[in-house]
PDB file of all heavy atoms in Angstrom:
ATOM      1  N   PRO A   1     247.867 232.585 150.184  1.00 65.00           N
ATOM      2  CA  PRO A   1     247.432 231.433 150.976  1.00 65.00           C
ATOM      3  C   PRO A   1     247.834 231.490 152.448  1.00 65.00           C
ATOM      4  O   PRO A   1     247.115 230.967 153.299  1.00 65.00           O
ATOM      5  CB  PRO A   1     248.096 230.250 150.262  1.00 65.00           C
ATOM      6  CG  PRO A   1     248.261 230.710 148.852  1.00 65.00           C
ATOM      7  CD  PRO A   1     248.552 232.180 148.947  1.00 65.00           C
ATOM      8  N   SER A   2     248.963 232.112 152.773  1.00 66.00           N
ATOM      9  CA  SER A   2     249.430 232.105 154.153  1.00 66.00           C
ATOM     10  C   SER A   2     248.583 232.961 155.083  1.00 66.00           C
ATOM     11  O   SER A   2     248.810 232.979 156.285  1.00 66.00           O
ATOM     12  CB  SER A   2     250.897 232.552 154.217  1.00 66.00           C
ATOM     13  OG  SER A   2     251.725 231.559 153.663  1.00 66.00           O
ATOM     14  N   THR A   3     247.591 233.691 154.535  1.00 67.00           N
ATOM     15  CA  THR A   3     246.669 234.413 155.408  1.00 67.00           C
ATOM     16  C   THR A   3     245.523 233.524 155.861  1.00 67.00           C
ATOM     17  O   THR A   3     244.683 233.953 156.650  1.00 67.00           O
ATOM     18  CB  THR A   3     246.090 235.639 154.674  1.00 67.00           C
ATOM     19  OG1 THR A   3     245.329 235.204 153.546  1.00 67.00           O
ATOM     20  CG2 THR A   3     247.196 236.572 154.213  1.00 67.00           C
ATOM     21  N   LEU A   4     245.470 232.289 155.364  1.00 71.00           N
ATOM     22  CA  LEU A   4     244.375 231.371 155.674  1.00 71.00           C
ATOM     23  C   LEU A   4     244.733 230.490 156.868  1.00 71.00           C
ATOM     24  O   LEU A   4     245.907 230.274 157.173  1.00 71.00           O
ATOM     25  CB  LEU A   4     244.075 230.495 154.459  1.00 71.00           C
ATOM     26  CG  LEU A   4     243.698 231.227 153.171  1.00 71.00           C
ATOM     27  CD1 LEU A   4     243.593 230.227 152.026  1.00 71.00           C
ATOM     28  CD2 LEU A   4     242.400 232.000 153.338  1.00 71.00           C
ATOM     29  N   PRO A   5     243.714 229.949 157.547  1.00 73.00           N
ATOM     30  CA  PRO A   5     243.996 228.990 158.627  1.00 73.00           C
ATOM     31  C   PRO A   5     244.757 227.782 158.091  1.00 73.00           C
ATOM     32  O   PRO A   5     244.662 227.446 156.913  1.00 73.00           O
ATOM     33  CB  PRO A   5     242.593 228.585 159.102  1.00 73.00           C
ATOM     34  CG  PRO A   5     241.690 229.659 158.618  1.00 73.00           C
ATOM     35  CD  PRO A   5     242.292 230.174 157.349  1.00 73.00           C
ATOM     36  N   THR A   6     245.491 227.130 158.971  1.00 74.00           N
ATOM     37  CA  THR A   6     246.335 226.012 158.545  1.00 74.00           C
ATOM     38  C   THR A   6     246.294 224.886 159.558  1.00 74.00           C
ATOM     39  O   THR A   6     246.300 225.122 160.765  1.00 74.00           O
ATOM     40  CB  THR A   6     247.804 226.473 158.386  1.00 74.00           C
ATOM     41  OG1 THR A   6     247.858 227.503 157.429  1.00 74.00           O
ATOM     42  CG2 THR A   6     248.692 225.323 157.944  1.00 74.00           C
ATOM     43  N   ARG A   7     246.260 223.674 159.054  1.00 78.00           N
ATOM     44  CA  ARG A   7     246.471 222.502 159.909  1.00 78.00           C
ATOM     45  C   ARG A   7     247.786 221.868 159.473  1.00 78.00           C
ATOM     46  O   ARG A   7     247.853 221.140 158.492  1.00 78.00           O
ATOM     47  CB  ARG A   7     245.334 221.483 159.758  1.00 78.00           C
ATOM     48  CG  ARG A   7     245.451 220.316 160.738  1.00 78.00           C
ATOM     49  CD  ARG A   7     244.508 219.197 160.351  1.00 78.00           C
ATOM     50  NE  ARG A   7     244.342 218.224 161.410  1.00 78.00           N
ATOM     51  CZ  ARG A   7     245.228 217.262 161.709  1.00 78.00           C
ATOM     52  NH1 ARG A   7     246.355 217.157 161.000  1.00 78.00           N
ATOM     53  NH2 ARG A   7     245.000 216.418 162.690  1.00 78.00           N
ATOM     54  N   ARG A   8     248.841 222.181 160.194  1.00 78.00           N
ATOM     55  CA  ARG A   8     250.172 221.677 159.837  1.00 78.00           C
ATOM     56  C   ARG A   8     250.283 220.192 160.141  1.00 78.00           C
ATOM     57  O   ARG A   8     249.726 219.692 161.114  1.00 78.00           O
ATOM     58  CB  ARG A   8     251.240 222.448 160.617  1.00 78.00           C
ATOM     59  CG  ARG A   8     251.227 223.953 160.362  1.00 78.00           C
ATOM     60  CD  ARG A   8     252.055 224.321 159.175  1.00 78.00           C
ATOM     61  NE  ARG A   8     252.011 225.760 158.922  1.00 78.00           N
ATOM     62  CZ  ARG A   8     252.756 226.382 158.043  1.00 78.00           C
ATOM     63  NH1 ARG A   8     253.617 225.699 157.309  1.00 78.00           N
ATOM     64  NH2 ARG A   8     252.658 227.683 157.863  1.00 78.00           N
ATOM     65  N   GLU A   9     251.044 219.492 159.297  1.00 77.00           N
ATOM     66  CA  GLU A   9     251.184 218.055 159.453  1.00 77.00           C
ATOM     67  C   GLU A   9     252.317 217.658 160.383  1.00 77.00           C
ATOM     68  O   GLU A   9     252.432 216.500 160.744  1.00 77.00           O
ATOM     69  CB  GLU A   9     251.387 217.395 158.084  1.00 77.00           C
ATOM     70  CG  GLU A   9     250.153 217.476 157.179  1.00 77.00           C
ATOM     71  CD  GLU A   9     248.938 216.816 157.802  1.00 77.00           C
ATOM     72  OE1 GLU A   9     249.086 215.750 158.429  1.00 77.00           O
ATOM     73  OE2 GLU A   9     247.836 217.367 157.677  1.00 77.00           O
ATOM     74  N   SER A  10     253.163 218.596 160.753  1.00 87.00           N
ATOM     75  CA  SER A  10     254.288 218.290 161.630  1.00 87.00           C
ATOM     76  C   SER A  10     254.371 219.353 162.707  1.00 87.00           C
ATOM     77  O   SER A  10     254.001 220.502 162.495  1.00 87.00           O
ATOM     78  CB  SER A  10     255.598 218.256 160.829  1.00 87.00           C
ATOM     79  OG  SER A  10     256.718 218.274 161.691  1.00 87.00           O
ATOM     80  N   ALA A  11     254.853 218.962 163.868  1.00 89.00           N
ATOM     81  CA  ALA A  11     255.009 219.907 164.972  1.00 89.00           C
ATOM     82  C   ALA A  11     256.389 220.530 165.021  1.00 89.00           C
ATOM     83  O   ALA A  11     256.601 221.489 165.757  1.00 89.00           O
ATOM     84  CB  ALA A  11     254.730 219.196 166.305  1.00 89.00           C
ATOM     85  N   TYR A  12     257.337 220.007 164.266  1.00 94.00           N
ATOM     86  CA  TYR A  12     258.710 220.455 164.404  1.00 94.00           C
ATOM     87  C   TYR A  12     259.308 221.037 163.130  1.00 94.00           C
ATOM     88  O   TYR A  12     260.379 221.643 163.149  1.00 94.00           O
ATOM     89  CB  TYR A  12     259.604 219.306 164.889  1.00 94.00           C
ATOM     90  CG  TYR A  12     259.522 218.060 164.031  1.00 94.00           C
ATOM     91  CD1 TYR A  12     260.364 217.875 162.940  1.00 94.00           C
ATOM     92  CD2 TYR A  12     258.599 217.062 164.312  1.00 94.00           C
ATOM     93  CE1 TYR A  12     260.284 216.745 162.154  1.00 94.00           C
ATOM     94  CE2 TYR A  12     258.507 215.920 163.539  1.00 94.00           C
ATOM     95  CZ  TYR A  12     259.347 215.767 162.462  1.00 94.00           C
ATOM     96  OH  TYR A  12     259.263 214.642 161.672  1.00 94.00           O
ATOM     97  N   ALA A  13     258.632 220.859 161.972  1.00 92.00           N
ATOM     98  CA  ALA A  13     259.143 221.381 160.709  1.00 92.00           C
ATOM     99  C   ALA A  13     257.982 221.954 159.917  1.00 92.00           C
ATOM    100  O   ALA A  13     256.853 221.466 160.024  1.00 92.00           O
ATOM    101  CB  ALA A  13     259.840 220.278 159.906  1.00 92.00           C
ATOM    102  N   ALA A  14     258.240 223.000 159.135  1.00 90.00           N
ATOM    103  CA  ALA A  14     257.124 223.677 158.463  1.00 90.00           C
ATOM    104  C   ALA A  14     257.531 224.202 157.101  1.00 90.00           C
ATOM    105  O   ALA A  14     258.663 224.655 156.909  1.00 90.00           O
ATOM    106  CB  ALA A  14     256.624 224.848 159.322  1.00 90.00           C
ATOM    107  N   TRP A  15     256.572 224.160 156.156  1.00 88.00           N
ATOM    108  CA  TRP A  15     256.698 224.910 154.918  1.00 88.00           C
ATOM    109  C   TRP A  15     256.364 226.369 155.208  1.00 88.00           C
ATOM    110  O   TRP A  15     255.424 226.654 155.952  1.00 88.00           O
ATOM    111  CB  TRP A  15     255.686 224.440 153.871  1.00 88.00           C
ATOM    112  CG  TRP A  15     255.726 223.024 153.396  1.00 88.00           C
ATOM    113  CD1 TRP A  15     254.744 222.099 153.554  1.00 88.00           C
ATOM    114  CD2 TRP A  15     256.752 222.384 152.638  1.00 88.00           C
ATOM    115  NE1 TRP A  15     255.099 220.920 152.938  1.00 88.00           N
ATOM    116  CE2 TRP A  15     256.338 221.070 152.371  1.00 88.00           C
ATOM    117  CE3 TRP A  15     257.998 222.807 152.162  1.00 88.00           C
ATOM    118  CZ2 TRP A  15     257.095 220.167 151.652  1.00 88.00           C
ATOM    119  CZ3 TRP A  15     258.765 221.902 151.440  1.00 88.00           C
ATOM    120  CH2 TRP A  15     258.329 220.604 151.191  1.00 88.00           C
ATOM    121  N   VAL A  16     257.083 227.286 154.591  1.00 91.00           N
ATOM    122  CA  VAL A  16     256.711 228.703 154.622  1.00 91.00           C
ATOM    123  C   VAL A  16     256.753 229.212 153.187  1.00 91.00           C
ATOM    124  O   VAL A  16     257.821 229.293 152.577  1.00 91.00           O
ATOM    125  CB  VAL A  16     257.647 229.528 155.521  1.00 91.00           C
ATOM    126  CG1 VAL A  16     257.314 231.018 155.410  1.00 91.00           C
ATOM    127  CG2 VAL A  16     257.531 229.075 156.971  1.00 91.00           C
ATOM    128  N   SER A  17     255.600 229.526 152.642  1.00 89.00           N
ATOM    129  CA  SER A  17     255.518 229.979 151.254  1.00 89.00           C
ATOM    130  C   SER A  17     255.959 231.426 151.149  1.00 89.00           C
ATOM    131  O   SER A  17     255.478 232.288 151.890  1.00 89.00           O
ATOM    132  CB  SER A  17     254.078 229.824 150.769  1.00 89.00           C
ATOM    133  OG  SER A  17     253.964 230.201 149.427  1.00 89.00           O
ATOM    134  N   ILE A  18     256.887 231.717 150.232  1.00 92.00           N
ATOM    135  CA  ILE A  18     257.368 233.086 150.067  1.00 92.00           C
ATOM    136  C   ILE A  18     256.864 233.713 148.773  1.00 92.00           C
ATOM    137  O   ILE A  18     256.939 234.930 148.610  1.00 92.00           O
ATOM    138  CB  ILE A  18     258.906 233.165 150.128  1.00 92.00           C
ATOM    139  CG1 ILE A  18     259.561 232.539 148.894  1.00 92.00           C
ATOM    140  CG2 ILE A  18     259.426 232.515 151.406  1.00 92.00           C
ATOM    141  CD1 ILE A  18     261.070 232.783 148.820  1.00 92.00           C
ATOM    142  N   SER A  19     256.360 232.891 147.850  1.00 89.00           N
ATOM    143  CA  SER A  19     255.822 233.411 146.596  1.00 89.00           C
ATOM    144  C   SER A  19     254.902 232.364 145.993  1.00 89.00           C
ATOM    145  O   SER A  19     254.966 231.187 146.348  1.00 89.00           O
ATOM    146  CB  SER A  19     256.943 233.767 145.608  1.00 89.00           C
ATOM    147  OG  SER A  19     257.656 232.604 145.209  1.00 89.00           O
ATOM    148  N   VAL A  20     254.054 232.813 145.089  1.00 83.00           N
ATOM    149  CA  VAL A  20     253.227 231.900 144.306  1.00 83.00           C
ATOM    150  C   VAL A  20     253.334 232.311 142.845  1.00 83.00           C
ATOM    151  O   VAL A  20     253.655 233.454 142.527  1.00 83.00           O
ATOM    152  CB  VAL A  20     251.752 231.915 144.751  1.00 83.00           C
ATOM    153  CG1 VAL A  20     251.605 231.381 146.158  1.00 83.00           C
ATOM    154  CG2 VAL A  20     251.171 233.316 144.652  1.00 83.00           C
ATOM    155  N   GLY A  21     253.067 231.376 141.958  1.00 82.00           N
ATOM    156  CA  GLY A  21     253.118 231.689 140.537  1.00 82.00           C
ATOM    157  C   GLY A  21     254.507 231.548 139.949  1.00 82.00           C
ATOM    158  O   GLY A  21     255.486 231.298 140.645  1.00 82.00           O
ATOM    159  N   CYS A  22     254.580 231.711 138.622  1.00 84.00           N
ATOM    160  CA  CYS A  22     255.826 231.489 137.900  1.00 84.00           C
ATOM    161  C   CYS A  22     255.848 232.364 136.650  1.00 84.00           C
ATOM    162  O   CYS A  22     254.846 232.451 135.934  1.00 84.00           O
ATOM    163  CB  CYS A  22     255.944 230.016 137.514  1.00 84.00           C
ATOM    164  SG  CYS A  22     257.435 229.601 136.585  1.00 84.00           S
ATOM    165  N   ASN A  23     256.995 232.998 136.393  1.00 86.00           N
ATOM    166  CA  ASN A  23     257.145 233.863 135.222  1.00 86.00           C
ATOM    167  C   ASN A  23     257.846 233.180 134.059  1.00 86.00           C
ATOM    168  O   ASN A  23     258.085 233.804 133.024  1.00 86.00           O
ATOM    169  CB  ASN A  23     257.916 235.130 135.602  1.00 86.00           C
ATOM    170  CG  ASN A  23     257.138 236.023 136.551  1.00 86.00           C
ATOM    171  OD1 ASN A  23     255.917 235.904 136.676  1.00 86.00           O
ATOM    172  ND2 ASN A  23     257.833 236.902 137.240  1.00 86.00           N
ATOM    173  N   ASN A  24     258.197 231.893 134.213  1.00 87.00           N
ATOM    174  CA  ASN A  24     258.907 231.179 133.153  1.00 87.00           C
ATOM    175  C   ASN A  24     257.932 230.597 132.134  1.00 87.00           C
ATOM    176  O   ASN A  24     256.726 230.509 132.380  1.00 87.00           O
ATOM    177  CB  ASN A  24     259.779 230.076 133.746  1.00 87.00           C
ATOM    178  CG  ASN A  24     260.943 230.650 134.536  1.00 87.00           C
ATOM    179  OD1 ASN A  24     261.549 231.633 134.116  1.00 87.00           O
ATOM    180  ND2 ASN A  24     261.242 230.060 135.680  1.00 87.00           N
ATOM    181  N   THR A  25     258.483 230.181 131.002  1.00 87.00           N
ATOM    182  CA  THR A  25     257.655 229.638 129.917  1.00 87.00           C
ATOM    183  C   THR A  25     258.222 228.313 129.408  1.00 87.00           C
ATOM    184  O   THR A  25     258.296 228.089 128.207  1.00 87.00           O
ATOM    185  CB  THR A  25     257.556 230.646 128.758  1.00 87.00           C
ATOM    186  OG1 THR A  25     258.890 230.953 128.296  1.00 87.00           O
ATOM    187  CG2 THR A  25     256.858 231.912 129.185  1.00 87.00           C
ATOM    188  N   CYS A  26     258.635 227.426 130.328  1.00 91.00           N
ATOM    189  CA  CYS A  26     259.195 226.137 129.923  1.00 91.00           C
ATOM    190  C   CYS A  26     258.176 225.390 129.066  1.00 91.00           C
ATOM    191  O   CYS A  26     256.986 225.334 129.393  1.00 91.00           O
ATOM    192  CB  CYS A  26     259.554 225.311 131.153  1.00 91.00           C
ATOM    193  SG  CYS A  26     260.777 226.090 132.232  1.00 91.00           S
ATOM    194  N   THR A  27     258.640 224.817 127.968  1.00 92.00           N
ATOM    195  CA  THR A  27     257.723 224.223 126.998  1.00 92.00           C
ATOM    196  C   THR A  27     257.078 222.935 127.474  1.00 92.00           C
ATOM    197  O   THR A  27     256.107 222.469 126.876  1.00 92.00           O
ATOM    198  CB  THR A  27     258.452 223.960 125.669  1.00 92.00           C
ATOM    199  OG1 THR A  27     259.611 223.142 125.915  1.00 92.00           O
ATOM    200  CG2 THR A  27     258.887 225.264 125.020  1.00 92.00           C
TER     201      THR A  27
END
């Protein structure tokens, strides 16, 4: 997703995604 254009909601703080998905199997 981080290769896509973005409209950030804040000018001073940002999310930065480092991974997607999950390998766990919580019931």
Side-chain angles (χ1 to χ4, degrees):
S2 290
T3 63
L4 302 173
T6 301
R7 186 193 194 282
R8 301 273 179 172
E9 292 301 320
S10 166
Y12 54 90
W15 299 117
V16 174
S17 182
I18 70 171
S19 65
V20 295
C22 179
N23 293 341
N24 291 320
T25 58
C26 300
T27 55

